[in-house]
Amino acid sequence: MRRKERACRECGRIHTGGEDTCVQCGAPTSANWLGYIRILDPEKSEIAEKLGIPTKGKFALRIK
Ligand SMILES: [Zn+2]
């Protein structure tokens, strides 16, 4: 079974439509990733600041 959700190898953004390239930075995506965080308000989120995530959305924690 092919996993539909793919994570960007550069910024970690998760694409639920199975996109091959990241809509945010244009880097290739990977289907092999583990765990994710959801950023709702990047300006107020300490996790977003720590990980350097500037926009809201779902981001993979580990990408293979
Ligand atoms: Zn990206």
Side-chain angles (χ1 to χ4, degrees):
M1 192 178 85
R2 191 165 176 259
R3 194 171 185 174
K4 218 181 173 189
E5 291 191 325
R6 298 177 65 87
C8 173
R9 291 179 191 275
E10 287 297 321
C11 68
R13 174 173 282 275
I14 292 169
H15 299 71
T16 53
E19 289 87 341
D20 288 330
T21 53
C22 178
V23 295
Q24 186 167 275
C25 68
T29 59
S30 168
N32 289 320
W33 53 272
L34 287 172
Y36 71 87
I37 54 161
R38 192 185 292 272
I39 304 295
L40 297 175
D41 193 342
E43 279 170 26
K44 287 178 189 164
S45 168
E46 284 178 26
I47 306 166
E49 199 186 325
K50 213 172 167 183
L51 297 175
I53 297 170
T55 55
K56 61 181 177 181
K58 264 168 86 176
F59 292 86
L61 294 176
R62 192 133 48 99
I63 301 140
K64 292 179 189 172

